[in-house]
Amino acid sequence: MSQDGATAMDWKKDGQSTNPTGNGIGNCIRNGSNGVVYPPYASHRLRLNPSVDHKPDNYDDLQLDFSPLLFSSLERYLPPALLNSSRDQKVHYMREILLRYFPEGERTRVQKHREYRQKIISNYQPLHRELYTMHAQNFFVPSFLKAISENSEESFRNIMSEPSPGVFTFEMLQPRFCEMLLAEVENFERWVRETKFRIMRPNTMNRFGAVLDDFGLDAMLEKLMEDFIRPISRVFFTEVGGSTLDSHHGFVVEYGMDRDVDLGFHVDDSEVTLNVCLGKQFSGGELFFRGVRCEKHVNVETQPEEIFDYAHAMGRAVLHRGRHRHGARATTSGQRINLLLWCRSSVFREIRKHQKDTSSWCAECQRNKKERQRQAIAATKLELLKRGATAI
């Protein structure tokens, strides 16, 4: 995919691809009454930069393999020729892109998960219904709202600390919101116990906690990602898809002597991670960070300048790359509950499939690249000195 916002391949009206490789992908499909030629499945691509003025269709009334919100979000990244096509044509195009990431077995799992969510939502009675739609004035502290409304790097840095490169901390949630969300989670867990309903935990590493999306908070969290996290990520995490975040996984984790105690060294399945402490009273539980790594270098040693520990405080957020290696130290007393939002970019994941140079965000790749440059410069200097000595 090109970096200037164009699609990976340009398509002509005569059915011939401008792709110079001659690999057979240039056999296009003429589709629709408008005569626009669309590329076949294998070459479906999204744009890197969205069409910001385009108003996407609503897909809530369709029975789809994936979330209707995902289709609405992806639509702005369609090739220009597709933006004014019928909704069915756009669905077909986006669905085939999404299917690359979801083989048949995964689609079956997604369908079962959708049925699982529907069963919960049909039976669970929320405690605080005001949590289920975004009420920014009631959820966030004024300083955070002001920074988002101004929407500039300067406004974000005015409320943020960056105690370690790529790790940003700031006051975010009002105490009342934290209290309500804690009460909602407790109410949900009470319902689970009383009905003996078997719930899915947030991930393979946490034995306690709940997926907020599963009991109806997904629309609110989608707004949180789109309207509040993506503007910040567009500024600070652009090299890992921060400007193209289009899906999320929202959950709470619980730590304490009768819960998970700590969390091992890992990376998240996200491009950008939001982590906010909701409470309660606790000691210990610090986050420890150990540098950003690509898949190739995820287990290499940590450099001294990458070591950073962070102590949680209620309502205060931590924002970092998903590939920033981290873990949680033992919670030594009390109970700690955190809200996590894993934000993902299908556009970046498409790019990453073809990306060989990750030195723009992997610290180890950066070091290796600088070392190669240093060696090349040293070799050039040595060669010039030899030539000078020979000339004399």
Side-chain angles (χ1 to χ4, degrees):
M1 186 176 296
S2 64
Q3 297 297 307
D4 60 1
T7 51
M9 300 174 68
D10 295 324
W11 300 92
K12 294 182 178 179
K13 291 291 183 75
D14 60 3
Q16 297 298 314
S17 167
T18 59
N19 176 20
T21 60
N23 58 7
I25 296 178
N27 297 320
C28 303
I29 300 172
R30 189 175 296 277
N31 196 359
S33 59
N34 58 6
V36 175
V37 176
Y38 301 117
Y41 165 77
S43 58
H44 282 20
R45 294 288 187 271
L46 298 172
R47 293 165 55 89
L48 178 58
N49 298 315
S51 301
V52 294
D53 296 329
H54 176 72
K55 182 175 176 58
D57 279 320
N58 186 296
Y59 297 89
D60 289 339
D61 60 317
L62 300 181
Q63 294 295 320
L64 300 168
D65 309 60
F66 310 96
S67 166
L69 289 172
L70 181 56
F71 283 90
S72 294
S73 178
L74 284 182
E75 186 176 325
R76 287 192 174 95
Y77 298 92
L78 289 176
L82 270 172
L83 290 177
N84 295 318
S85 300
S86 71
R87 189 173 66 159
D88 287 345
Q89 289 172 338
K90 288 184 284 192
V91 165
H92 178 76
Y93 192 95
M94 291 186 284
R95 182 175 177 274
E96 291 205 336
I97 290 176
L98 291 168
L99 288 177
R100 295 181 193 174
Y101 302 98
F102 292 90
E104 185 62 36
E106 181 66 12
R107 295 203 302 277
T108 300
R109 186 195 68 80
V110 169
Q111 178 59 32
K112 288 182 177 179
H113 195 184
R114 183 182 294 110
E115 294 169 356
Y116 160 83
R117 281 189 178 183
Q118 188 57 48
K119 187 175 181 180
I120 293 176
I121 292 170
S122 298
N123 293 278
Y124 173 67
Q125 296 298 316
L127 178 65
H128 294 295
R129 290 192 178 275
E130 59 265 45
L131 289 173
Y132 289 75
T133 53
M134 175 58 69
H135 299 288
Q137 298 295 329
N138 297 331
F139 290 1
F140 306 120
V141 298
S143 60
F144 179 73
L145 288 175
K146 183 174 184 293
I148 294 296
S149 67
E150 294 176 1
N151 194 21
S152 67
E153 180 174 351
E154 181 182 6
S155 69
F156 298 145
R157 289 197 180 276
N158 283 341
I159 65 166
M160 288 178 166
S161 298
E162 190 178 4
S164 183
V167 179
F168 298 91
T169 70
F170 49 94
E171 297 296 331
M172 181 179 181
L173 298 179
Q174 292 191 25
R176 174 60 179 156
F177 174 85
C178 295
E179 293 167 3
M180 285 197 301
L181 187 53
L182 285 174
E184 190 67 46
V185 171
E186 290 173 356
N187 187 62
F188 175 68
E189 293 182 334
R190 188 180 307 112
W191 174 81
V192 168
R193 290 193 300 271
E194 291 172 354
T195 59
K196 295 181 171 57
F197 191 89
R198 185 175 180 180
I199 68 168
M200 298 179 185
R201 296 302 179 183
N203 52 64
T204 58
M205 300 182 72
N206 290 100
R207 297 176 298 116
F208 296 87
V211 180
L212 301 178
D213 298 314
D214 286 347
F215 59 95
L217 286 162
D218 51 324
M220 184 274 285
L221 293 175
E222 188 77 6
K223 291 290 289 182
L224 170 59
M225 181 193 72
E226 289 185 348
D227 296 347
F228 299 91
I229 303 306
R230 192 161 61 193
I232 299 173
S233 300
R234 183 180 293 119
V235 173
F236 298 111
F237 302 119
T238 183
E239 76 288 347
V240 293
S243 62
T244 59
L245 301 176
D246 54 21
S247 65
H248 76 273
H249 175 50
F251 56 96
V252 294
V253 289
E254 303 176 17
Y255 295 91
M257 302 310 293
D258 59 343
R259 294 287 189 269
D260 290 320
V261 175
D262 55 18
L263 187 64
F265 189 59
H266 67 285
V267 294
D268 296 337
D269 182 16
S270 69
E271 274 60 75
V272 177
T273 293
L274 173 73
N275 185 340
V276 195
C277 182
L278 301 175
K280 304 176 179 178
Q281 297 296 319
F282 62 91
S283 57
E286 298 87 355
L287 280 180
F288 60 90
F289 290 91
R290 296 297 183 265
V292 182
R293 297 290 188 277
C294 64
E295 289 87 344
K296 181 180 178 181
H297 297 125
V298 68
N299 291 316
V300 302
E301 64 180 301
T302 300
Q303 301 299 315
E305 66 272 14
E306 296 176 319
I307 297 174
F308 172 64
D309 286 14
Y310 170 79
H312 288 289
M314 187 181 75
R316 190 168 181 83
V318 184
L319 196 67
H320 61 85
R321 294 170 183 83
R323 299 295 307 185
H324 203 139
R325 302 180 300 176
H326 62 285
R329 302 194 185 283
T331 298
T332 53
S333 66
Q335 188 176 14
R336 176 172 67 84
I337 302 177
N338 280 49
L339 164 65
L340 276 295
L341 191 68
W342 286 358
C343 303
R344 297 160 175 161
S345 166
S346 57
V347 175
F348 176 72
R349 293 185 179 209
E350 174 75 3
I351 293 171
R352 201 172 69 181
K353 288 166 56 179
H354 312 286
Q355 189 179 44
K356 295 181 179 180
D357 182 8
T358 59
S359 60
S360 64
W361 54 271
C362 172
E364 189 65 19
C365 286
Q366 289 175 10
R367 275 188 285 274
N368 291 341
K369 186 174 183 177
K370 288 179 180 178
E371 177 59 22
R372 290 194 299 270
Q373 291 173 341
R374 187 195 65 78
Q375 291 177 0
I377 292 171
T380 301
K381 286 182 177 179
L382 182 60
E383 180 63 24
L384 291 173
L385 288 172
K386 287 180 180 179
R387 291 180 182 180
T390 302
I392 293 173

